[in-house]
Amino acid sequence: MTTAPSHPQPARPGPRIGVLGSYGGFNTGDEAILTCVLSCLRAQRPDARLVVMSRNAEHTRAHHPDADEVVPWEGVSRNHVLDVLPGLDLLVLGGGGILYDGEARRYLRLVRAAQTRSVPTFAYAIGAGPLTEAEDREAVRTVLADMDDVVVRDEESRLVLEEVGLEREVAVTADPALLLGPEPFTGTMMRDEGIPAGARLVGMSVREPGRAAEKLDEGDYHALLADVADFLVRRLDAHVVFLPMERHDVRHAHAVLSHMTAPDKGRILHGDYSPGQVLGFMRHLDVAVGMRLHFVIFAALSGVPVLPLPYSGKVFDFARRLGAPALVGVAREQAGLLLAEVDRMWDEYPRRRDDLGSRMRELSAAARETCVRCGSLLDALGEGGGSEDGTAAGEAPYVVEPRPLHA
């Protein structure tokens, strides 16, 4: 028995498409990805019935009205999920970084179960790595080989799949969240967060080491970010606002504040905001420095000068595509280099604005390619009578206009 949506809708006549990923409100970046994937599928097949497999069904039902049906897949019996698969016309895996040690096998068991039931499968701009555990590597190598199409979001992920031994064509596009639209972050919301009106604002993102960066020393990078925050407070006469993209980020933001010499100039966003509202908040910033990939993406989408602090391959890759400084990681001994890069970024940004805009348009176009490939697969499966460019018959192509850059 599946979980019904909070607002039941009449059955749709089109294909039944399942979407599987790390969804359920645990991470703002993943929720942004789900928003964009559902928007793509709805644009490609307006009559499709979209079935989201969520780690927290209540959250997904409440925050994603494009989902016609939500199926919990954690903390439930295996048959609960398997019973849903035979009724699907397509299972979409992703997007986002879900193929890594300890997690890849969990997602790919469901993908393999769909394949054994003759359900076509599509990898939607997924991220891969690190992959060192034998069971995860074997699952990636065998299950992805049998998928109908595999699209990854960055070159780093393609290289990881190649190293694992996957022998098939893998397309490289870009992160689905590059197509997210902003929602207003109002003056009232700013006041509720205690952010002073008219002040220059620096956005910062800090995260836990996690599996992607287990050797990262917490004390080192907390102190490093505190140095950067204090420098920007002095350099720009600014206030620093920490944006938690995941609930554990709050603890690390407090740790950075505790290292600052001017903690009174720091704030941590505490409200529960949608990805679109977080993106809307970015438009209030003057500069951004941070670790989390989607924090960097949101800042770049908003035309804010941003310095990524790479802690893993996915951030290195996006920084390279963004034309950001080629920093080699997040370590205390880099404090002088990092402060110099922050200073240079601020001084040179007016000259770099056009280049950033051009790069973001290219990245957004690459993100749209994933949607078109998914539509083309649906066409090949004979569902919906779509056109050659992957759009549903009678529908305009799925196009998200590039965001205007801010002065």
Side-chain angles (χ1 to χ4, degrees):
M1 180 176 179
T2 60
T3 304
S6 54
H7 301 287
Q9 301 179 21
R12 298 180 185 269
R16 196 162 181 256
I17 303 174
V19 181
L20 171 65
S22 184
Y23 307 131
F26 300 96
N27 180 285
T28 301
D30 290 327
E31 295 305 299
I33 288 171
L34 179 57
T35 297
C36 295
V37 170
L38 292 176
S39 294
C40 161
L41 295 173
R42 183 64 70 211
Q44 294 288 340
R45 294 295 184 274
D47 60 350
R49 183 167 183 81
L50 304 181
V51 182
V52 176
M53 299 178 186
S54 173
R55 298 171 62 192
N56 185 326
E58 292 298 326
H59 183 278
T60 300
R61 288 201 305 271
H63 292 83
H64 294 279
D66 261 338
D68 298 297
E69 187 177 341
V70 179
V71 180
W73 71 280
E74 286 192 334
V76 297
S77 70
R78 179 176 170 82
N79 288 339
H80 177 93
V81 183
L82 296 182
D83 289 346
V84 177
L85 299 178
L88 298 179
D89 296 291
L90 176 68
L91 176 62
V92 172
L93 175 67
I98 54 180
L99 298 185
Y100 60 89
D101 288 326
E103 286 291 293
R105 71 192 79 164
R106 298 175 63 240
Y107 291 99
L108 294 179
R109 285 191 194 108
L110 282 177
V111 177
R112 176 58 85 195
Q115 292 171 341
T116 60
R117 290 159 175 78
S118 300
V119 176
T121 52
F122 178 82
Y124 197 112
I126 55 176
L131 283 169
T132 60
E133 297 182 13
E135 185 176 347
D136 290 298
R137 291 168 67 89
E138 175 67 15
V140 168
R141 183 167 52 249
T142 58
V143 177
L144 267 63
D146 291 336
M147 297 189 78
D148 291 79
D149 196 7
V150 174
V151 181
V152 296
R153 67 181 175 185
D154 50 47
E155 185 65 22
E156 173 77 14
S157 295
R158 188 193 69 79
L159 292 174
V160 168
L161 297 183
E162 182 179 280
E163 191 276 331
V164 164
L166 180 65
E167 297 181 353
R168 63 162 299 154
E169 177 190 359
V170 174
V172 179
T173 57
D175 194 283
L178 285 155
L179 300 178
L180 185 70
E183 299 172 24
F185 200 98
T186 65
T188 298
M189 295 162 77
M190 296 285 280
R191 288 192 295 274
D192 288 346
E193 291 285 358
I195 299 173
R200 276 183 169 168
L201 298 178
V202 175
M204 295 196 76
S205 165
V206 57
R207 58 157 293 159
E208 83 289 350
R211 295 182 181 180
E214 292 177 342
K215 297 181 180 179
L216 202 61
D217 183 273
E218 284 192 11
D220 274 2
Y221 75 82
H222 289 163
L224 175 64
L225 285 175
D227 284 349
V228 175
D230 283 328
F231 173 78
L232 287 168
V233 167
R234 295 190 303 269
R235 173 77 162 82
L236 307 180
D237 188 24
H239 284 70
V240 178
V241 183
F242 293 88
L243 280 73
M245 304 292 282
E246 199 172 274
R247 62 180 180 272
H248 298 301
D249 293 358
V250 174
R251 178 175 70 85
H252 294 276
H254 279 293
V256 174
L257 273 173
S258 72
H259 283 80
M260 289 177 61
T261 60
D264 57 306
K265 291 295 187 75
R267 296 285 187 277
I268 302 172
L269 287 191
H270 287 101
D272 182 17
Y273 302 113
S274 71
Q277 288 171 326
V278 175
L279 179 57
F281 175 80
M282 290 287 184
R283 297 188 166 195
H284 294 279
L285 299 179
D286 294 279
V287 64
V289 179
M291 298 174 68
R292 284 206 177 269
L293 173 63
H294 287 95
F295 170 90
V296 176
I297 288 175
F298 286 7
L301 279 174
S302 304
V304 175
V306 57
L307 183 67
L309 299 179
Y311 68 93
S312 69
K314 62 185 180 182
V315 186
F316 279 104
D317 192 279
F318 188 76
R320 175 186 60 80
R321 297 173 83 175
L322 198 61
L327 300 175
V328 295
V330 185
R332 188 74 177 93
E333 58 268 21
Q334 288 188 291
L337 173 62
L338 183 54
L339 295 181
E341 288 292 356
V342 171
D343 201 37
R344 186 160 68 93
M345 175 185 67
W346 177 255
D347 288 337
E348 294 184 355
Y349 183 70
R351 298 194 297 275
R352 287 206 59 237
R353 184 183 291 114
D354 290 344
D355 177 65
L356 175 62
S358 175
R359 289 173 181 268
M360 290 304 295
R361 285 188 290 273
E362 290 177 4
L363 285 164
S364 295
R368 286 193 290 271
E369 289 177 17
T370 315
C371 185
V372 173
R373 288 182 76 102
C374 188
S376 296
L377 176 57
L378 284 165
D379 290 344
L381 297 173
E383 296 291 348
S387 62
E388 291 184 359
D389 67 354
T391 56
E395 293 294 315
Y398 177 67
V399 175
V400 177
E401 293 300 325
R403 310 284 184 272
L405 294 178
H406 286 245

